[in-house]
Amino acid sequence: MPWTRRHLLTIEELSLAEIDQIHATAAAFKKILGRNVKKVPALRGKTIVNLFLEPSTRTRMAFDMAAKRLSADVISLDGASSSTTKGETLRDTAQNIQALNADLIVLRHAASGSPLYLSRILNIPVVNAGDGAHEHPTQGLLDTFTMRERLGDLRGRKVTILGDILFSRVARSNIHALTKMGAAVTLCGPSTLVPGWFTDLGVTVSHDLKSALADAEVVMLLRIQHERQSAGHFPSLGEYTSMFGLNKTRASWLHPKAIIMHPGPINRGVEIDSELADGERSVILEQVTNGIAVRMAVLYLCFGGQPESVAVVD
Ligand code: CP
């Protein structure tokens, strides 16, 4: 099946076959990244603009790196140094970037749906790098890519996502990816942050940490998204940690070969203890590394590349 999408806006809209295609393309690029010469000419002559109107370390740098590895020219613009601080709208900002002959925009924005909005008014591809509490599709793709590398087929595997699910775009993208891939997903955290209606997405909701962690082969920690919360959803961070923080005792409830994941940034000592974040079961930095190959795949495909063509791009 040929790849036909110009934009990457959500995982919700992707089929399992499309997720497989992105992962296969990322695996091919990961091999290239292991060579002495890591750069391929696939996007030579293209200009990619990373428009990050919310803070980022991993996503922005990985998109930057991915574009450079594909030989594209890349320009990054953040909110603080852009004319959005003078009142310019997202629409005007994006149309000016297009008028400057950019060939693709990667957008991070606090408003859910903003990448979809740009995809409807621009003539160039748009890639969602995180929109509000809605989706963070490349994070979900790199997380599931990492799980597949470690566990193989995810059908029937118990994956527990623990923390602030309600305000997490990472949770939503992972839920969509994992349920399409056949994983058994459990969401856990305080009931204020993990409401029961999430079961509509085909997952199990639990407020009992021990049963949520029992025999899970993957646990993904999520930080508290203070920037999106307008009210207190639990009494204090200390009380959150005492109820739901992952520590050594609680990690012993997991499957013996379980991996520990976190999209970052980590709040050490809140949602996860340092000894686990840095321990041998942690794949947190592998996730970051895989983010480059996955974003290379997404950029390559959105520019019309085909998964089977990666072998001949260098
Ligand atoms: N995981 C993630 O989106 O991290 P950044 O906010 O640093 O990009």
PDB file of all heavy atoms in Angstrom, residues 3 5-9 14 22-23 25-26 29 43 63 66 70 104 106 125-128 137-138 141 291-305:
ATOM      1  N   TRP A   3       2.165   5.117   0.578  1.00  0.00           N
ATOM      2  CA  TRP A   3       1.889   6.156   1.576  1.00  0.00           C
ATOM      3  C   TRP A   3       1.261   7.345   0.855  1.00  0.00           C
ATOM      4  O   TRP A   3       1.787   7.820  -0.156  1.00  0.00           O
ATOM      5  CB  TRP A   3       3.181   6.583   2.271  1.00  0.00           C
ATOM      6  CG  TRP A   3       2.932   7.631   3.311  1.00  0.00           C
ATOM      7  CD1 TRP A   3       2.988   8.981   3.137  1.00  0.00           C
ATOM      8  CD2 TRP A   3       2.549   7.414   4.659  1.00  0.00           C
ATOM      9  NE1 TRP A   3       2.661   9.611   4.312  1.00  0.00           N
ATOM     10  CE2 TRP A   3       2.381   8.679   5.270  1.00  0.00           C
ATOM     11  CE3 TRP A   3       2.316   6.266   5.428  1.00  0.00           C
ATOM     12  CZ2 TRP A   3       2.005   8.827   6.598  1.00  0.00           C
ATOM     13  CZ3 TRP A   3       1.958   6.417   6.751  1.00  0.00           C
ATOM     14  CH2 TRP A   3       1.801   7.687   7.331  1.00  0.00           C
ATOM     15  N   ARG A   5      -0.473  10.187   2.770  1.00  0.00           N
ATOM     16  CA  ARG A   5      -0.741  11.379   3.590  1.00  0.00           C
ATOM     17  C   ARG A   5       0.330  12.452   3.391  1.00  0.00           C
ATOM     18  O   ARG A   5       1.514  12.141   3.362  1.00  0.00           O
ATOM     19  CB  ARG A   5      -0.768  11.022   5.083  1.00  0.00           C
ATOM     20  CG  ARG A   5      -1.969  10.245   5.473  1.00  0.00           C
ATOM     21  CD  ARG A   5      -2.001   9.999   6.970  1.00  0.00           C
ATOM     22  NE  ARG A   5      -3.041   9.047   7.250  1.00  0.00           N
ATOM     23  CZ  ARG A   5      -4.325   9.359   7.398  1.00  0.00           C
ATOM     24  NH1 ARG A   5      -4.708  10.619   7.337  1.00  0.00           N
ATOM     25  NH2 ARG A   5      -5.226   8.425   7.622  1.00  0.00           N
ATOM     26  N   ARG A   6      -0.112  13.707   3.324  1.00  0.00           N
ATOM     27  CA  ARG A   6       0.829  14.840   3.258  1.00  0.00           C
ATOM     28  C   ARG A   6       1.102  15.402   4.649  1.00  0.00           C
ATOM     29  O   ARG A   6       2.118  16.049   4.871  1.00  0.00           O
ATOM     30  CB  ARG A   6       0.247  15.970   2.402  1.00  0.00           C
ATOM     31  CG  ARG A   6       0.146  15.644   0.939  1.00  0.00           C
ATOM     32  CD  ARG A   6      -0.495  16.798   0.196  1.00  0.00           C
ATOM     33  NE  ARG A   6       0.356  17.981   0.156  1.00  0.00           N
ATOM     34  CZ  ARG A   6      -0.020  19.184   0.601  1.00  0.00           C
ATOM     35  NH1 ARG A   6      -1.203  19.376   1.132  1.00  0.00           N
ATOM     36  NH2 ARG A   6       0.813  20.216   0.515  1.00  0.00           N
ATOM     37  N   HIS A   7       0.132  15.249   5.555  1.00  0.00           N
ATOM     38  CA  HIS A   7       0.244  15.802   6.910  1.00  0.00           C
ATOM     39  C   HIS A   7       0.308  14.661   7.916  1.00  0.00           C
ATOM     40  O   HIS A   7      -0.230  13.575   7.664  1.00  0.00           O
ATOM     41  CB  HIS A   7      -0.986  16.645   7.260  1.00  0.00           C
ATOM     42  CG  HIS A   7      -1.375  17.650   6.213  1.00  0.00           C
ATOM     43  ND1 HIS A   7      -0.659  18.801   5.994  1.00  0.00           N
ATOM     44  CD2 HIS A   7      -2.419  17.672   5.332  1.00  0.00           C
ATOM     45  CE1 HIS A   7      -1.237  19.493   5.022  1.00  0.00           C
ATOM     46  NE2 HIS A   7      -2.303  18.818   4.604  1.00  0.00           N
ATOM     47  N   LEU A   8       0.914  14.913   9.064  1.00  0.00           N
ATOM     48  CA  LEU A   8       0.763  13.996  10.205  1.00  0.00           C
ATOM     49  C   LEU A   8       0.148  14.825  11.324  1.00  0.00           C
ATOM     50  O   LEU A   8       0.838  15.645  11.941  1.00  0.00           O
ATOM     51  CB  LEU A   8       2.085  13.379  10.658  1.00  0.00           C
ATOM     52  CG  LEU A   8       1.829  12.414  11.829  1.00  0.00           C
ATOM     53  CD1 LEU A   8       1.164  11.137  11.366  1.00  0.00           C
ATOM     54  CD2 LEU A   8       3.099  12.098  12.587  1.00  0.00           C
ATOM     55  N   LEU A   9      -1.137  14.605  11.566  1.00  0.00           N
ATOM     56  CA  LEU A   9      -1.868  15.430  12.531  1.00  0.00           C
ATOM     57  C   LEU A   9      -2.210  14.675  13.803  1.00  0.00           C
ATOM     58  O   LEU A   9      -2.163  15.247  14.895  1.00  0.00           O
ATOM     59  CB  LEU A   9      -3.151  15.967  11.873  1.00  0.00           C
ATOM     60  CG  LEU A   9      -2.920  16.762  10.575  1.00  0.00           C
ATOM     61  CD1 LEU A   9      -4.247  17.141   9.943  1.00  0.00           C
ATOM     62  CD2 LEU A   9      -2.064  18.008  10.836  1.00  0.00           C
ATOM     63  N   LEU A  14      -4.706   7.479  11.871  1.00  0.00           N
ATOM     64  CA  LEU A  14      -3.864   6.519  11.154  1.00  0.00           C
ATOM     65  C   LEU A  14      -4.439   5.109  11.265  1.00  0.00           C
ATOM     66  O   LEU A  14      -5.003   4.740  12.301  1.00  0.00           O
ATOM     67  CB  LEU A  14      -2.442   6.498  11.732  1.00  0.00           C
ATOM     68  CG  LEU A  14      -1.606   7.777  11.640  1.00  0.00           C
ATOM     69  CD1 LEU A  14      -0.220   7.533  12.231  1.00  0.00           C
ATOM     70  CD2 LEU A  14      -1.494   8.257  10.201  1.00  0.00           C
ATOM     71  N   ILE A  22       5.219   3.576   9.042  1.00  0.00           N
ATOM     72  CA  ILE A  22       6.111   4.568   9.676  1.00  0.00           C
ATOM     73  C   ILE A  22       7.198   3.841  10.463  1.00  0.00           C
ATOM     74  O   ILE A  22       8.383   4.198  10.383  1.00  0.00           O
ATOM     75  CB  ILE A  22       5.303   5.521  10.592  1.00  0.00           C
ATOM     76  CG1 ILE A  22       4.336   6.367   9.759  1.00  0.00           C
ATOM     77  CG2 ILE A  22       6.251   6.435  11.388  1.00  0.00           C
ATOM     78  CD1 ILE A  22       3.334   7.172  10.580  1.00  0.00           C
ATOM     79  N   HIS A  23       6.816   2.811  11.202  1.00  0.00           N
ATOM     80  CA  HIS A  23       7.818   2.075  11.985  1.00  0.00           C
ATOM     81  C   HIS A  23       8.843   1.380  11.077  1.00  0.00           C
ATOM     82  O   HIS A  23      10.039   1.366  11.390  1.00  0.00           O
ATOM     83  CB  HIS A  23       7.122   1.055  12.892  1.00  0.00           C
ATOM     84  CG  HIS A  23       6.502   1.669  14.109  1.00  0.00           C
ATOM     85  ND1 HIS A  23       5.701   0.982  14.978  1.00  0.00           N
ATOM     86  CD2 HIS A  23       6.570   2.934  14.607  1.00  0.00           C
ATOM     87  CE1 HIS A  23       5.303   1.773  15.963  1.00  0.00           C
ATOM     88  NE2 HIS A  23       5.815   2.973  15.746  1.00  0.00           N
ATOM     89  N   THR A  25       9.764   2.335   8.119  1.00  0.00           N
ATOM     90  CA  THR A  25      10.616   3.391   7.553  1.00  0.00           C
ATOM     91  C   THR A  25      11.610   3.878   8.606  1.00  0.00           C
ATOM     92  O   THR A  25      12.797   4.098   8.308  1.00  0.00           O
ATOM     93  CB  THR A  25       9.727   4.556   7.043  1.00  0.00           C
ATOM     94  OG1 THR A  25       8.714   4.018   6.197  1.00  0.00           O
ATOM     95  CG2 THR A  25      10.536   5.585   6.285  1.00  0.00           C
ATOM     96  N   ALA A  26      11.126   4.031   9.839  1.00  0.00           N
ATOM     97  CA  ALA A  26      12.022   4.468  10.927  1.00  0.00           C
ATOM     98  C   ALA A  26      13.120   3.435  11.173  1.00  0.00           C
ATOM     99  O   ALA A  26      14.280   3.798  11.416  1.00  0.00           O
ATOM    100  CB  ALA A  26      11.210   4.702  12.201  1.00  0.00           C
ATOM    101  N   PHE A  29      15.747   3.953   8.612  1.00  0.00           N
ATOM    102  CA  PHE A  29      16.558   5.145   8.897  1.00  0.00           C
ATOM    103  C   PHE A  29      17.445   4.915  10.115  1.00  0.00           C
ATOM    104  O   PHE A  29      18.557   5.442  10.187  1.00  0.00           O
ATOM    105  CB  PHE A  29      15.663   6.374   9.093  1.00  0.00           C
ATOM    106  CG  PHE A  29      15.205   6.993   7.801  1.00  0.00           C
ATOM    107  CD1 PHE A  29      13.862   7.201   7.538  1.00  0.00           C
ATOM    108  CD2 PHE A  29      16.134   7.378   6.834  1.00  0.00           C
ATOM    109  CE1 PHE A  29      13.437   7.770   6.342  1.00  0.00           C
ATOM    110  CE2 PHE A  29      15.721   7.947   5.632  1.00  0.00           C
ATOM    111  CZ  PHE A  29      14.370   8.135   5.385  1.00  0.00           C
ATOM    112  N   LEU A  43      16.042  14.714   1.326  1.00  0.00           N
ATOM    113  CA  LEU A  43      15.261  15.972   1.309  1.00  0.00           C
ATOM    114  C   LEU A  43      16.138  17.170   0.949  1.00  0.00           C
ATOM    115  O   LEU A  43      15.842  18.305   1.357  1.00  0.00           O
ATOM    116  CB  LEU A  43      14.575  16.184   2.669  1.00  0.00           C
ATOM    117  CG  LEU A  43      13.568  15.110   3.109  1.00  0.00           C
ATOM    118  CD1 LEU A  43      12.857  15.534   4.394  1.00  0.00           C
ATOM    119  CD2 LEU A  43      12.542  14.806   2.019  1.00  0.00           C
ATOM    120  N   PHE A  63      13.428  16.812  15.819  1.00  0.00           N
ATOM    121  CA  PHE A  63      12.983  17.236  14.478  1.00  0.00           C
ATOM    122  C   PHE A  63      14.109  17.966  13.753  1.00  0.00           C
ATOM    123  O   PHE A  63      14.303  17.795  12.540  1.00  0.00           O
ATOM    124  CB  PHE A  63      11.737  18.130  14.576  1.00  0.00           C
ATOM    125  CG  PHE A  63      10.438  17.374  14.493  1.00  0.00           C
ATOM    126  CD1 PHE A  63       9.595  17.287  15.575  1.00  0.00           C
ATOM    127  CD2 PHE A  63      10.059  16.746  13.309  1.00  0.00           C
ATOM    128  CE1 PHE A  63       8.390  16.583  15.497  1.00  0.00           C
ATOM    129  CE2 PHE A  63       8.860  16.046  13.216  1.00  0.00           C
ATOM    130  CZ  PHE A  63       8.025  15.962  14.315  1.00  0.00           C
ATOM    131  N   ALA A  66      16.550  15.304  12.714  1.00  0.00           N
ATOM    132  CA  ALA A  66      15.985  14.469  11.650  1.00  0.00           C
ATOM    133  C   ALA A  66      16.054  15.200  10.308  1.00  0.00           C
ATOM    134  O   ALA A  66      16.456  14.630   9.291  1.00  0.00           O
ATOM    135  CB  ALA A  66      14.538  14.115  11.985  1.00  0.00           C
ATOM    136  N   LEU A  70      18.416  14.245   6.914  1.00  0.00           N
ATOM    137  CA  LEU A  70      17.804  14.035   5.593  1.00  0.00           C
ATOM    138  C   LEU A  70      18.267  15.097   4.588  1.00  0.00           C
ATOM    139  O   LEU A  70      17.748  15.172   3.479  1.00  0.00           O
ATOM    140  CB  LEU A  70      16.276  14.074   5.721  1.00  0.00           C
ATOM    141  CG  LEU A  70      15.655  12.897   6.485  1.00  0.00           C
ATOM    142  CD1 LEU A  70      14.207  13.204   6.875  1.00  0.00           C
ATOM    143  CD2 LEU A  70      15.703  11.616   5.650  1.00  0.00           C
ATOM    144  N   LEU A 104       7.585  22.719   4.516  1.00  0.00           N
ATOM    145  CA  LEU A 104       6.844  21.931   5.526  1.00  0.00           C
ATOM    146  C   LEU A 104       6.963  22.664   6.862  1.00  0.00           C
ATOM    147  O   LEU A 104       8.030  23.223   7.168  1.00  0.00           O
ATOM    148  CB  LEU A 104       7.427  20.516   5.626  1.00  0.00           C
ATOM    149  CG  LEU A 104       6.783  19.515   6.594  1.00  0.00           C
ATOM    150  CD1 LEU A 104       6.911  18.071   6.056  1.00  0.00           C
ATOM    151  CD2 LEU A 104       7.368  19.578   8.004  1.00  0.00           C
ATOM    152  N   VAL A 106       6.555  22.130  11.008  1.00  0.00           N
ATOM    153  CA  VAL A 106       6.350  21.298  12.198  1.00  0.00           C
ATOM    154  C   VAL A 106       5.843  22.249  13.276  1.00  0.00           C
ATOM    155  O   VAL A 106       6.508  23.236  13.598  1.00  0.00           O
ATOM    156  CB  VAL A 106       7.669  20.641  12.652  1.00  0.00           C
ATOM    157  CG1 VAL A 106       7.446  19.817  13.921  1.00  0.00           C
ATOM    158  CG2 VAL A 106       8.265  19.777  11.536  1.00  0.00           C
ATOM    159  N   PRO A 125       2.779  20.683   3.659  1.00  0.00           N
ATOM    160  CA  PRO A 125       2.485  19.719   4.723  1.00  0.00           C
ATOM    161  C   PRO A 125       2.710  20.309   6.114  1.00  0.00           C
ATOM    162  O   PRO A 125       3.561  21.177   6.323  1.00  0.00           O
ATOM    163  CB  PRO A 125       3.492  18.583   4.467  1.00  0.00           C
ATOM    164  CG  PRO A 125       3.909  18.728   3.048  1.00  0.00           C
ATOM    165  CD  PRO A 125       3.850  20.197   2.746  1.00  0.00           C
ATOM    166  N   VAL A 126       1.901  19.816   7.057  1.00  0.00           N
ATOM    167  CA  VAL A 126       1.986  20.223   8.467  1.00  0.00           C
ATOM    168  C   VAL A 126       2.167  18.956   9.303  1.00  0.00           C
ATOM    169  O   VAL A 126       1.449  17.963   9.110  1.00  0.00           O
ATOM    170  CB  VAL A 126       0.705  20.963   8.910  1.00  0.00           C
ATOM    171  CG1 VAL A 126       0.772  21.318  10.395  1.00  0.00           C
ATOM    172  CG2 VAL A 126       0.486  22.220   8.068  1.00  0.00           C
ATOM    173  N   VAL A 127       3.115  19.006  10.237  1.00  0.00           N
ATOM    174  CA  VAL A 127       3.344  17.889  11.156  1.00  0.00           C
ATOM    175  C   VAL A 127       3.093  18.383  12.573  1.00  0.00           C
ATOM    176  O   VAL A 127       3.625  19.422  12.977  1.00  0.00           O
ATOM    177  CB  VAL A 127       4.785  17.337  11.004  1.00  0.00           C
ATOM    178  CG1 VAL A 127       5.064  16.277  12.067  1.00  0.00           C
ATOM    179  CG2 VAL A 127       4.993  16.758   9.608  1.00  0.00           C
ATOM    180  N   ASN A 128       2.282  17.642  13.295  1.00  0.00           N
ATOM    181  CA  ASN A 128       1.925  18.004  14.670  1.00  0.00           C
ATOM    182  C   ASN A 128       3.027  17.558  15.634  1.00  0.00           C
ATOM    183  O   ASN A 128       3.301  16.366  15.772  1.00  0.00           O
ATOM    184  CB  ASN A 128       0.591  17.320  15.026  1.00  0.00           C
ATOM    185  CG  ASN A 128       0.125  17.650  16.430  1.00  0.00           C
ATOM    186  OD1 ASN A 128       0.750  18.428  17.139  1.00  0.00           O
ATOM    187  ND2 ASN A 128      -0.989  17.043  16.830  1.00  0.00           N
ATOM    188  N   PRO A 137       1.585  13.009  18.120  1.00  0.00           N
ATOM    189  CA  PRO A 137       1.673  11.755  17.364  1.00  0.00           C
ATOM    190  C   PRO A 137       3.081  11.191  17.218  1.00  0.00           C
ATOM    191  O   PRO A 137       3.259   9.972  17.292  1.00  0.00           O
ATOM    192  CB  PRO A 137       1.063  12.110  16.000  1.00  0.00           C
ATOM    193  CG  PRO A 137       1.018  13.595  15.948  1.00  0.00           C
ATOM    194  CD  PRO A 137       0.934  14.081  17.341  1.00  0.00           C
ATOM    195  N   THR A 138       4.092  12.062  17.015  1.00  0.00           N
ATOM    196  CA  THR A 138       5.429  11.476  16.844  1.00  0.00           C
ATOM    197  C   THR A 138       5.932  10.874  18.158  1.00  0.00           C
ATOM    198  O   THR A 138       6.718   9.924  18.142  1.00  0.00           O
ATOM    199  CB  THR A 138       6.446  12.489  16.276  1.00  0.00           C
ATOM    200  OG1 THR A 138       6.531  13.636  17.130  1.00  0.00           O
ATOM    201  CG2 THR A 138       6.072  12.913  14.866  1.00  0.00           C
ATOM    202  N   LEU A 141       4.360   7.495  18.282  1.00  0.00           N
ATOM    203  CA  LEU A 141       5.022   6.615  17.307  1.00  0.00           C
ATOM    204  C   LEU A 141       6.390   6.161  17.787  1.00  0.00           C
ATOM    205  O   LEU A 141       6.770   5.008  17.618  1.00  0.00           O
ATOM    206  CB  LEU A 141       5.144   7.339  15.959  1.00  0.00           C
ATOM    207  CG  LEU A 141       3.821   7.526  15.213  1.00  0.00           C
ATOM    208  CD1 LEU A 141       3.958   8.578  14.117  1.00  0.00           C
ATOM    209  CD2 LEU A 141       3.344   6.193  14.625  1.00  0.00           C
ATOM    210  N   GLY A 291      13.522   8.804  18.698  1.00  0.00           N
ATOM    211  CA  GLY A 291      12.757   9.949  18.203  1.00  0.00           C
ATOM    212  C   GLY A 291      13.344  10.538  16.932  1.00  0.00           C
ATOM    213  O   GLY A 291      12.607  11.111  16.112  1.00  0.00           O
ATOM    214  N   ILE A 292      14.639  10.386  16.728  1.00  0.00           N
ATOM    215  CA  ILE A 292      15.242  10.945  15.498  1.00  0.00           C
ATOM    216  C   ILE A 292      14.799  10.118  14.288  1.00  0.00           C
ATOM    217  O   ILE A 292      14.305  10.664  13.296  1.00  0.00           O
ATOM    218  CB  ILE A 292      16.783  10.969  15.594  1.00  0.00           C
ATOM    219  CG1 ILE A 292      17.236  11.750  16.814  1.00  0.00           C
ATOM    220  CG2 ILE A 292      17.379  11.576  14.321  1.00  0.00           C
ATOM    221  CD1 ILE A 292      18.728  11.596  17.109  1.00  0.00           C
ATOM    222  N   ALA A 293      14.965   8.791  14.372  1.00  0.00           N
ATOM    223  CA  ALA A 293      14.612   7.933  13.222  1.00  0.00           C
ATOM    224  C   ALA A 293      13.113   8.015  12.914  1.00  0.00           C
ATOM    225  O   ALA A 293      12.714   8.045  11.737  1.00  0.00           O
ATOM    226  CB  ALA A 293      15.013   6.489  13.520  1.00  0.00           C
ATOM    227  N   VAL A 294      12.293   8.065  13.956  1.00  0.00           N
ATOM    228  CA  VAL A 294      10.838   8.137  13.727  1.00  0.00           C
ATOM    229  C   VAL A 294      10.481   9.456  13.049  1.00  0.00           C
ATOM    230  O   VAL A 294       9.667   9.499  12.116  1.00  0.00           O
ATOM    231  CB  VAL A 294      10.077   7.947  15.059  1.00  0.00           C
ATOM    232  CG1 VAL A 294       8.611   8.340  14.916  1.00  0.00           C
ATOM    233  CG2 VAL A 294      10.202   6.500  15.531  1.00  0.00           C
ATOM    234  N   ARG A 295      11.124  10.533  13.468  1.00  0.00           N
ATOM    235  CA  ARG A 295      10.798  11.834  12.842  1.00  0.00           C
ATOM    236  C   ARG A 295      11.391  11.932  11.442  1.00  0.00           C
ATOM    237  O   ARG A 295      10.802  12.572  10.552  1.00  0.00           O
ATOM    238  CB  ARG A 295      11.244  12.971  13.765  1.00  0.00           C
ATOM    239  CG  ARG A 295      10.286  13.009  14.964  1.00  0.00           C
ATOM    240  CD  ARG A 295      10.678  13.842  16.097  1.00  0.00           C
ATOM    241  NE  ARG A 295       9.631  13.805  17.108  1.00  0.00           N
ATOM    242  CZ  ARG A 295       9.815  13.476  18.390  1.00  0.00           C
ATOM    243  NH1 ARG A 295      11.020  13.166  18.842  1.00  0.00           N
ATOM    244  NH2 ARG A 295       8.802  13.457  19.225  1.00  0.00           N
ATOM    245  N   MET A 296      12.529  11.276  11.199  1.00  0.00           N
ATOM    246  CA  MET A 296      13.024  11.188   9.814  1.00  0.00           C
ATOM    247  C   MET A 296      11.979  10.496   8.947  1.00  0.00           C
ATOM    248  O   MET A 296      11.673  10.932   7.835  1.00  0.00           O
ATOM    249  CB  MET A 296      14.340  10.396   9.768  1.00  0.00           C
ATOM    250  CG  MET A 296      15.552  11.142  10.300  1.00  0.00           C
ATOM    251  SD  MET A 296      17.028  10.102  10.379  1.00  0.00           S
ATOM    252  CE  MET A 296      17.568  10.128   8.662  1.00  0.00           C
ATOM    253  N   ALA A 297      11.420   9.407   9.471  1.00  0.00           N
ATOM    254  CA  ALA A 297      10.414   8.651   8.708  1.00  0.00           C
ATOM    255  C   ALA A 297       9.201   9.524   8.405  1.00  0.00           C
ATOM    256  O   ALA A 297       8.708   9.554   7.275  1.00  0.00           O
ATOM    257  CB  ALA A 297      10.005   7.410   9.503  1.00  0.00           C
ATOM    258  N   VAL A 298       8.734  10.249   9.407  1.00  0.00           N
ATOM    259  CA  VAL A 298       7.532  11.081   9.225  1.00  0.00           C
ATOM    260  C   VAL A 298       7.803  12.180   8.187  1.00  0.00           C
ATOM    261  O   VAL A 298       6.993  12.406   7.269  1.00  0.00           O
ATOM    262  CB  VAL A 298       7.086  11.670  10.582  1.00  0.00           C
ATOM    263  CG1 VAL A 298       6.058  12.781  10.395  1.00  0.00           C
ATOM    264  CG2 VAL A 298       6.532  10.560  11.482  1.00  0.00           C
ATOM    265  N   LEU A 299       8.944  12.856   8.300  1.00  0.00           N
ATOM    266  CA  LEU A 299       9.258  13.932   7.341  1.00  0.00           C
ATOM    267  C   LEU A 299       9.388  13.362   5.934  1.00  0.00           C
ATOM    268  O   LEU A 299       8.840  13.909   4.962  1.00  0.00           O
ATOM    269  CB  LEU A 299      10.552  14.646   7.760  1.00  0.00           C
ATOM    270  CG  LEU A 299      10.492  15.422   9.087  1.00  0.00           C
ATOM    271  CD1 LEU A 299      11.881  15.968   9.443  1.00  0.00           C
ATOM    272  CD2 LEU A 299       9.476  16.561   9.023  1.00  0.00           C
ATOM    273  N   TYR A 300      10.105  12.254   5.834  1.00  0.00           N
ATOM    274  CA  TYR A 300      10.331  11.611   4.530  1.00  0.00           C
ATOM    275  C   TYR A 300       9.004  11.228   3.867  1.00  0.00           C
ATOM    276  O   TYR A 300       8.776  11.504   2.685  1.00  0.00           O
ATOM    277  CB  TYR A 300      11.210  10.385   4.766  1.00  0.00           C
ATOM    278  CG  TYR A 300      11.477   9.527   3.573  1.00  0.00           C
ATOM    279  CD1 TYR A 300      12.337   9.941   2.560  1.00  0.00           C
ATOM    280  CD2 TYR A 300      10.891   8.260   3.454  1.00  0.00           C
ATOM    281  CE1 TYR A 300      12.594   9.131   1.466  1.00  0.00           C
ATOM    282  CE2 TYR A 300      11.135   7.445   2.372  1.00  0.00           C
ATOM    283  CZ  TYR A 300      11.991   7.889   1.374  1.00  0.00           C
ATOM    284  OH  TYR A 300      12.243   7.094   0.297  1.00  0.00           O
ATOM    285  N   LEU A 301       8.104  10.622   4.650  1.00  0.00           N
ATOM    286  CA  LEU A 301       6.826  10.175   4.086  1.00  0.00           C
ATOM    287  C   LEU A 301       5.930  11.364   3.734  1.00  0.00           C
ATOM    288  O   LEU A 301       5.253  11.350   2.695  1.00  0.00           O
ATOM    289  CB  LEU A 301       6.116   9.238   5.074  1.00  0.00           C
ATOM    290  CG  LEU A 301       6.829   7.895   5.325  1.00  0.00           C
ATOM    291  CD1 LEU A 301       6.176   7.146   6.477  1.00  0.00           C
ATOM    292  CD2 LEU A 301       6.832   7.025   4.069  1.00  0.00           C
ATOM    293  N   CYS A 302       5.926  12.397   4.576  1.00  0.00           N
ATOM    294  CA  CYS A 302       5.078  13.563   4.279  1.00  0.00           C
ATOM    295  C   CYS A 302       5.545  14.304   3.033  1.00  0.00           C
ATOM    296  O   CYS A 302       4.763  15.023   2.396  1.00  0.00           O
ATOM    297  CB  CYS A 302       5.015  14.505   5.483  1.00  0.00           C
ATOM    298  SG  CYS A 302       4.018  13.855   6.837  1.00  0.00           S
ATOM    299  N   PHE A 303       6.804  14.127   2.668  1.00  0.00           N
ATOM    300  CA  PHE A 303       7.312  14.712   1.417  1.00  0.00           C
ATOM    301  C   PHE A 303       7.118  13.769   0.225  1.00  0.00           C
ATOM    302  O   PHE A 303       7.657  14.005  -0.850  1.00  0.00           O
ATOM    303  CB  PHE A 303       8.791  15.072   1.548  1.00  0.00           C
ATOM    304  CG  PHE A 303       9.019  16.452   2.126  1.00  0.00           C
ATOM    305  CD1 PHE A 303       9.649  16.614   3.340  1.00  0.00           C
ATOM    306  CD2 PHE A 303       8.610  17.587   1.444  1.00  0.00           C
ATOM    307  CE1 PHE A 303       9.877  17.882   3.878  1.00  0.00           C
ATOM    308  CE2 PHE A 303       8.829  18.858   1.963  1.00  0.00           C
ATOM    309  CZ  PHE A 303       9.455  19.008   3.177  1.00  0.00           C
ATOM    310  N   GLY A 304       6.372  12.691   0.428  1.00  0.00           N
ATOM    311  CA  GLY A 304       6.051  11.809  -0.701  1.00  0.00           C
ATOM    312  C   GLY A 304       6.956  10.610  -0.842  1.00  0.00           C
ATOM    313  O   GLY A 304       6.828   9.846  -1.811  1.00  0.00           O
ATOM    314  N   GLY A 305       7.879  10.420   0.102  1.00  0.00           N
ATOM    315  CA  GLY A 305       8.715   9.224   0.059  1.00  0.00           C
ATOM    316  C   GLY A 305       7.876   7.986   0.325  1.00  0.00           C
ATOM    317  O   GLY A 305       6.775   8.079   0.883  1.00  0.00           O
TER     318      GLY A 305
END
